[in-house]
Amino acid sequence: MPQEVRAVIAPGRDEPVRVETIVIPDPGPGEAVVQVQACGVCHTDLHYKQGGINDEFPFLLGHEAAGVVEAVGEGVTDVAPGDFVILNWRAVCGQCRACLRGRPWYCFDTHNATQRMTLLDGTELSPALGIGAFAEKTLVAAGQCTKVDASVSASVAGLLGCGVMAGIGAAINTGEVARGDSVAVIGCGGVGDAAVAGSRLAGAAKIIAVDIDDRKLAKAREMGATHTVNSKETDPVEAIRELTGGFGADVVIEAVGRPETYRQAFYARDLAGTVVLVGVPTPEMKLELPLLDVFGRGGALKSSWYGDCLPSRDFPMLIDLHLQGRLDLGAFVTETIGLDEVEKAFERMHHGDVLRSVVVL
């Protein structure tokens, strides 16, 4: 039978979010109902609330989540009721040209649940990134569930569902940071700090964190940065070059998503180095670079989609590293809150007061 649960709804552009009762249908073929245990408050949820993604209001917010599978629909074999899972927003199809070429992390036909969750009056909800996990339970495509070790805390496991995975993957998967490399990370929010942590995991010899907020730079040092640069006070390109023998970093990860910081990343890399864009720009932003510089500096300019991750491969591996004490996912959690505190969490995020607020249910 359909179930009624509490959830956080964004009713309209820039309107305060509110907790309402929603209806969760029974899972259909290829679907699963998940009892959500924790969900991080990600900047993407704020973009949805502000109408920066699209205008398909009302939205069911939340997507960076972990919980327990309650029920599955027909044909589901990869997960079963009782499994502890992390939710992901890029469930690979296995059939598109990227998947068939053995590159499923680029899947061009990712999918979500077919059925819609609704308000009590039948109004259909648009789940954030196809998940909608600021809720006691949610309906997703079964492929959006990745089973991991159940001994890990849900409040840290869920972070791999978006921001932390995006940052770690930008370093390890997209940037291919290797032992002994020099790395610069521009922008030290949750994704940037995860890129710092990922660079440390990969064995980078020098990790330079760049931001305009000294509080964030201090946190980046805790995550593994060997050097920090306040770009409000110092030219970051010159500082990065000075710290790398005058050459520039082997890999520069741009975690802001703005043309001016991308230009900094472009010129702060070594010849034949790599720039990784993981910060998400807005539609109106334009980038202008001399084509001769693009040619003459060589190397690679890459965009990182979700850290180019494959959830079935990367989530269990990173959870294992966390349980071994080699990746401190708990360091990303600033506070735990309830469903009715999400609006306040958005305000704290806007002011840069938190790395991650996590809703615990």
Side-chain angles (χ1 to χ4, degrees):
M1 291 180 58
Q3 303 181 64
E4 296 181 2
V5 301
R6 296 169 69 244
V8 175
I9 305 301
R13 185 184 299 268
D14 276 331
E15 293 182 29
V17 301
R18 58 182 184 239
V19 177
E20 293 199 19
T21 299
I22 68 169
V23 178
I24 309 290
D26 290 337
E31 297 176 340
V33 170
V34 176
Q35 182 179 356
V36 179
Q37 295 182 335
C39 184
V41 182
C42 177
H43 208 275
T44 302
D45 293 304
L46 181 59
H47 282 321
Y48 272 105
K49 173 181 180 288
Q50 295 171 332
I53 306 294
N54 57 56
D55 60 356
E56 297 174 5
F57 291 95
F59 290 112
L60 172 56
L61 297 182
H63 60 278
E64 199 175 72
V68 175
V69 175
E70 181 182 86
V72 298
E74 180 184 347
V76 175
T77 57
D78 289 343
V79 292
D83 285 347
F84 179 69
V85 297
I86 299 172
L87 301 182
N88 74 80
W89 49 269
R90 285 182 60 80
V92 301
C93 72
Q95 299 298 321
C96 72
R97 60 193 185 280
C99 289
L100 292 177
R101 292 173 68 191
R103 302 171 183 173
W105 49 90
Y106 291 142
C107 179
F108 301 139
D109 193 22
T110 57
H111 54 280
N112 302 317
T114 302
Q115 300 182 88
R116 285 294 188 106
M117 296 171 276
T118 68
L119 297 176
L120 287 175
D121 65 3
T123 301
E124 291 189 345
L125 296 166
S126 300
L129 291 176
I131 292 177
F134 287 154
E136 293 167 333
K137 297 178 184 180
T138 192
L139 176 76
V140 294
Q144 293 179 275
C145 301
T146 304
K147 184 177 178 181
V148 297
D149 192 323
S151 65
V152 69
S153 166
S155 63
V156 299
L159 301 181
L160 294 179
C162 189
V164 171
M165 184 69 253
I168 291 177
I172 294 178
N173 297 331
T174 314
E176 299 179 300
V177 174
R179 288 174 296 174
D181 277 353
S182 58
V183 180
V185 177
I186 299 177
C188 296
V191 173
D193 277 354
V196 168
S199 299
R200 179 171 64 175
L201 275 175
K206 188 169 291 183
I207 305 170
I208 305 162
V210 180
D211 203 281
I212 60 173
D213 188 330
D214 285 332
R215 297 174 300 172
K216 293 184 177 181
L217 292 172
K219 190 65 176 179
R221 277 197 177 272
E222 293 178 20
M223 297 295 186
T226 59
H227 300 78
T228 58
V229 175
N230 187 319
S231 55
K232 188 181 274 188
E233 302 170 353
T234 306
D235 181 333
V237 176
E238 292 304 317
I240 292 168
R241 286 179 176 169
E242 184 177 341
L243 289 166
T244 54
F247 301 116
D250 297 308
V251 180
V252 184
I253 299 168
E254 200 279 335
V256 181
R258 295 190 60 85
E260 55 268 37
T261 45
Y262 188 89
R263 284 179 62 87
Q264 291 170 354
F266 180 83
Y267 287 108
R269 67 181 176 132
D270 197 358
L271 292 175
T274 298
V275 174
V276 176
L277 175 64
V278 66
V280 181
T282 56
E284 73 279 2
M285 290 179 178
K286 306 291 183 184
L287 176 68
E288 184 174 331
L289 287 169
L291 191 57
L292 183 60
D293 285 357
V294 175
F295 172 80
R297 298 184 66 82
L301 307 178
K302 297 183 175 183
S303 297
S304 185
W305 299 346
Y306 200 4
D308 289 340
C309 80
L310 184 60
S312 60
R313 174 196 66 195
D314 295 337
F315 288 4
M317 172 193 70
L318 294 173
I319 290 298
D320 284 346
L321 290 174
H322 171 70
L323 293 174
Q324 294 166 18
R326 298 165 63 190
L327 173 62
D328 185 6
L329 294 175
F332 290 91
V333 180
T334 306
E335 62 177 1
T336 56
I337 61 174
L339 275 179
D340 57 355
E341 298 175 87
V342 170
E343 182 66 30
K344 292 180 180 178
F346 283 143
E347 294 174 12
R348 290 191 286 273
M349 175 193 297
H350 181 72
H351 293 294
D353 295 332
V354 296
L355 196 55
R356 264 304 182 268
S357 302
V358 178
V359 175
V360 175
L361 296 102

